[in-house]
Amino acid sequence: MSKKSVDTAIKDQAVVCNDDVVLEVEDLVVHYVLKKSVVEAVNGVSFKLKKRRAIGLVGETGAGKTTTALAIMNLVPDPPGIIKSGNITVCGRDMLKLKPQQLEKIRGKDISMIFQDPMTSLNPVMTVGQQIAESVRLHERVSKQEAFERAIEMLELVGIPGERANDYPHQFSGGMKQRVVIAIALACNPSVLIADEPTTALDVTIQAQVLSMMNDLKEKCNTALVMITHDLGVVAKMCDDVAVLYAGRIVESGTLEDVFNNTMHPYTEGLFNSLPNIENRGAELKPIPGLMPDPTKLPAGCTFADRCSYATDACREKVPETRRVSETHTVACSRYDEPGFRIEGWQHG
Amino acid sequence: MSSKVKTQSMISSQYQRENQLLAVWKRLRTNPGAVVGLIILCALILIMVYSVLFISYEEITVINSKNRFAPPSAEYPFGTDEMGRDLMKRIFYGSRYSLAVAFGSVFIGMVVGIFFGSIAGFFGGWVDNLIMRIADIMSSIPGTLLGMVIVTILGANLINLLIAVGVASIAGFIRMARASVLTVKSNEYVESARAIGMSELRIIFTQVVPNSLSPLIVTATARMATSVLSAAGLSFLGFGITAPKPEWGALISGSRAFLNYAPHLCYFPGLFIMLMAFACALLGDGLRDALDPKLKK
């Protein structure tokens, strides 16, 4: 009886899914409560993702990218992780208020996730075909054989010959494993796909292949994409929108054009300055000085102030508000209170 | 998908599985100890099959007072006992008990142990604490004593002996299963399974348990040796299968009074108990090497 009521509950809610916004994160706060300290991993992240769009979450290690992704799936390991506040809406359903059973129906069906390391994200004792078929059978009432046929189709879609469905993960190379992982994630045609650094573990030539394949699939399957990466090149290739994360906050967000060509936040500028310049190979890299603040003791004001060349005393006192620069572009920096303030801007070379 | 590809793939799927077994077999074959163990175990199984087909219960229980305590000879290879019964036939007949206990009790211990052990390891917290403390209590009682208590409560017969020996092995399996689940559950494929909407229980039984099985198979095989010994021990003490049924432990127990002038009555059952335990232990050792993924290449 309970299963049926879950089914109908989901059906009722599914009507809202026609809405244009498939994923909405509002003021998300996630902390990891340890014995002696609290890790403030995500501190008020908000963004929206529309159908068929791709957003890139960019930031360095420890900025809260993966925690944000896990929170969207409601998979933050608990304990120690706690989603303190915020709203996450996937296709009109509030992920944080659903029962575990309802969540299981949404994960994989409406929203799916690809993990960083393809070497370890496949079950070594099941054939890849079985694993894709399993994903199909979790969400659709099909026979084993139909599911297996779907698995073969999915494999071919990601560019792996169907005959290999009966091979085990250890018989595949890293790039092919990541393709299989993508096939599993897309098997039920989710509206949103979260890719957590999907190409970090692959070498550069394979990275390019996997990325362009993901781009094709995104178009084919009408999937919206959340691309988590620290690689600005990947963002430029894959995404329509960008959100730059620093110490659990979005410091700048906007369209690719806004953030790349009209950079406003000093941190974003720092990120671009620390990339090698392909047109002027002799140019010196300008890394951002210092390290990200310890997430267990975040400073009171702007978290970037200590590394920022524009910082004033005021920056260290007050957490900067997010201000809207244009229809699409936002930036969280107090210096923009001063009329006429501009950063030096990212120099093209 | 065309049906041709499908059929092909089904065939190759079967081929794959055979291939894996073949690989384990190839590695097992290179280990002389394991091969000896396997041969002894197979011989004992053949003996059991022979005894089930050709030796009747009447034949081994009928008293023949003319032939008491005959030493081993061509007619009676293992000699005869105090009632003139052919010892070889009795031992052969008794093989079914030892094999049943070896496989049955380990099966009970393994199923129950894996179930609770994997739940404890997977969920952690108070569930883990509760299950592990119960396992502690179970392992603090000596196995023989626990077996005696269980047989006393349930009554002395094969099934109860099997349960008694099995229950005594549960704690070990719980511990073993928990340990290997703990290492497997932190793997990324478990997280991935969650991300495609698999339920926790399904994750345990499709992702975690299959991946933590190989140390458990090794433990199970080695445990069979201990089980044979404890079953024989319980029967020796009169808590297992009792005379006139020729359980090996019971045979030794019956021969005690005549140890001085008919020692063969004790040697032969003892030899078979030893062979059985020895075979299981050797095979367990060999399987540990053959199933170790690190030795794959």
Side-chain angles (χ1 to χ4, degrees):
Chain A
M1 173 249 149
S2 68
K3 196 173 179 196
K4 196 156 191 189
S5 68
V6 170
D7 271 347
T8 48
I10 287 193
K11 242 175 236 157
D12 293 344
Q13 287 179 315
V15 183
V16 201
C17 205
N18 299 325
D19 196 10
D20 206 30
V21 176
V22 282
L23 169 67
E24 187 167 3
V25 178
E26 271 176 295
D27 202 28
L28 180 70
V29 179
V30 186
H31 289 178
Y32 293 104
V33 180
L34 307 177
K35 266 180 197 152
K36 286 185 183 155
S37 55
V38 176
V39 178
E40 298 175 29
V42 178
N43 308 299
V45 164
S46 307
F47 64 89
K48 271 185 197 174
L49 180 62
K50 288 184 180 166
K51 253 186 191 171
R52 273 176 252 169
R53 299 279 284 187
I55 189 170
L57 298 186
V58 194
E60 57 194 291
T61 307
K65 302 176 303 243
T66 302
T67 304
T68 307
L70 289 176
I72 294 171
M73 305 288 290
N74 200 348
L75 276 176
V76 175
D78 175 19
I82 295 173
I83 299 177
K84 299 276 271 195
S85 63
N87 281 315
I88 291 163
T89 320
V90 174
C91 295
R93 266 164 281 154
D94 187 341
M95 290 294 276
L96 302 182
K97 293 213 178 84
L98 294 177
K99 296 194 191 84
Q101 220 182 344
Q102 293 171 310
L103 280 172
E104 277 157 20
K105 300 226 156 198
I106 293 174
R107 290 184 198 136
K109 174 104 183 103
D110 292 318
I111 184 161
S112 216
M113 182 159 172
I114 301 170
F115 290 87
Q116 184 170 352
D117 188 359
M119 303 300 171
T120 55
S121 25
L122 293 170
N123 183 346
V125 299
M126 272 167 95
T127 64
V128 296
Q130 282 174 332
Q131 294 187 53
I132 304 172
E134 179 87 29
S135 167
V136 174
R137 273 171 64 80
L138 281 172
H139 298 289
E140 285 168 40
R141 279 190 196 163
V142 291
S143 71
K144 272 197 171 157
Q145 200 152 26
E146 282 171 281
F148 197 77
E149 281 165 31
R150 273 276 288 285
I152 292 172
E153 275 172 49
M154 283 311 296
L155 274 181
E156 282 175 353
L157 200 61
V158 296
I160 295 175
E163 306 95 84
R164 300 214 56 192
N166 289 299
D167 286 348
Y168 287 87
H170 72 268
Q171 292 163 302
F172 288 85
S173 70
M176 287 178 104
K177 274 187 210 171
Q178 193 61 298
R179 286 163 192 263
V180 173
V181 171
I182 293 169
I184 292 174
L186 291 178
C188 290
N189 228 333
S191 325
V192 186
L193 177 67
I194 304 175
D196 185 1
E197 309 208 18
T199 55
T200 309
L202 307 175
D203 59 49
V204 186
T205 48
I206 306 298
Q207 270 186 22
Q209 281 179 21
V210 169
L211 287 177
S212 63
M213 186 204 75
M214 280 180 75
N215 241 342
D216 291 350
L217 284 179
K218 190 176 75 104
E219 300 302 319
K220 255 187 228 165
C221 304
N222 282 331
T223 305
L225 180 68
V226 180
M227 187 68 153
I228 293 174
T229 180
H230 53 248
D231 187 338
L232 289 164
V234 171
V235 174
K237 186 177 163 71
M238 302 285 294
C239 301
D240 309 305
D241 302 302
V242 190
V244 181
L245 261 82
Y246 185 79
R249 293 199 182 96
I250 292 182
V251 292
E252 182 166 7
S253 74
T255 61
L256 204 58
E257 172 75 21
D258 290 337
V259 177
F260 276 54
N261 294 341
N262 190 16
T263 309
M264 294 196 69
H265 197 278
Y267 177 63
T268 320
E269 182 195 33
L271 284 182
F272 283 120
N273 280 338
S274 50
L275 286 180
N277 187 336
I278 204 160
E279 275 142 28
N280 179 8
R281 284 168 186 272
E284 221 173 294
L285 292 184
K286 280 185 270 171
I288 308 172
L291 291 170
M292 203 158 60
D294 182 349
T296 60
K297 321 189 234 323
L298 288 182
C302 174
T303 45
F304 187 59
D306 286 341
R307 304 171 71 184
C308 180
S309 55
Y310 305 99
T312 61
D313 288 343
C315 289
R316 294 194 170 81
E317 278 157 22
K318 189 170 135 261
V319 176
E321 286 162 28
T322 303
R323 61 209 70 222
R324 193 160 282 283
V325 182
S326 71
E327 189 66 27
T328 50
H329 199 171
T330 67
V331 63
C333 178
S334 304
R335 289 296 304 269
Y336 286 96
D337 285 345
E338 302 163 24
F341 172 75
R342 293 296 299 162
I343 57 169
E344 282 161 31
W346 171 47
Q347 302 299 314
H348 270 278
Chain B
M1 246 331 76
S2 70
S3 66
K4 195 179 162 199
V5 171
K6 204 168 64 205
T7 352
Q8 259 179 356
S9 63
M10 296 297 167
I11 293 166
S12 86
S13 141
Q14 224 165 19
Y15 171 75
Q16 277 293 346
R17 236 157 259 154
E18 274 164 27
N19 225 7
Q20 276 210 323
L21 279 179
L22 202 71
V24 171
W25 166 236
K26 267 185 184 157
R27 270 174 272 138
L28 195 66
R29 220 171 39 182
T30 57
N31 183 333
V35 174
V36 171
L38 202 62
I39 290 172
I40 297 175
L41 206 59
C42 288
L44 287 170
I45 290 172
L46 281 179
I47 285 174
M48 187 201 75
V49 171
Y50 168 80
S51 78
V52 169
L53 293 178
F54 298 113
I55 302 176
S56 67
Y57 187 62
E58 284 73 40
E59 203 176 338
I60 58 145
T61 44
V62 72
I63 297 167
N64 180 359
S65 49
K66 274 181 249 163
N67 254 334
R68 299 171 69 207
F69 299 119
S73 63
E75 201 189 348
Y76 302 111
F78 294 175
T80 60
D81 66 2
E82 74 277 13
M83 294 184 194
R85 299 172 294 201
D86 184 345
L87 188 60
M88 186 178 81
K89 281 187 179 160
R90 283 179 66 77
I91 288 175
F92 282 9
Y93 191 92
S95 64
R96 69 190 62 180
Y97 302 121
S98 278
L99 282 164
V101 169
F103 287 101
S105 71
V106 167
F107 182 76
I108 291 175
M110 199 163 157
V111 168
V112 179
I114 287 178
F115 183 78
F116 286 106
S118 49
I119 284 176
F122 191 78
F123 289 114
W126 67 268
V127 183
D128 184 22
N129 247 320
L130 181 73
I131 292 175
M132 291 321 288
R133 292 304 77 77
I134 292 173
D136 282 347
I137 293 171
M138 282 172 77
S139 50
S140 68
I141 306 170
T144 315
L145 211 62
L146 191 63
M148 282 160 72
V149 171
I150 291 171
V151 172
T152 313
I153 295 170
L154 298 177
N157 63 38
L158 177 63
I159 299 293
N160 295 341
L161 179 68
L162 212 130
I163 292 172
V165 177
V167 166
S169 70
I170 287 175
F173 278 110
I174 288 183
R175 233 173 276 277
M176 202 64 207
R178 175 177 177 269
S180 51
V181 163
L182 278 181
T183 57
V184 170
K185 79 163 179 181
S186 55
N187 272 314
E188 216 163 49
Y189 53 81
V190 174
E191 190 81 337
S192 303
R194 271 195 201 107
I196 59 165
M198 207 181 274
S199 65
E200 297 292 293
L201 222 57
R202 202 175 165 83
I203 288 175
I204 294 184
F205 293 109
T206 66
Q207 311 280 316
V208 177
V209 171
N211 279 298
S212 42
L213 220 50
S214 72
L216 287 165
I217 292 173
V218 175
T219 319
T221 325
R223 180 74 212 184
M224 275 163 63
T226 329
S227 292
V228 171
L229 294 178
S230 14
L234 283 173
S235 300
F236 179 85
L237 295 172
F239 284 93
I241 295 152
T242 45
K245 287 186 185 134
E247 207 279 337
W248 296 342
L251 285 180
I252 295 183
S253 173
S255 75
R256 270 178 310 167
F258 323 109
L259 205 54
N260 277 338
Y261 48 96
H264 64 268
L265 288 185
C266 151
Y267 291 163
F268 287 108
L271 181 72
F272 271 76
I273 292 172
M274 195 206 77
L275 275 180
M276 175 94 192
F278 186 57
C280 294
L282 279 179
L283 188 63
D285 245 24
L287 275 177
R288 171 166 43 230
D289 296 343
L291 288 171
D292 190 344
K294 280 174 210 134
L295 295 173
K296 249 178 193 164
K297 277 160 200 165

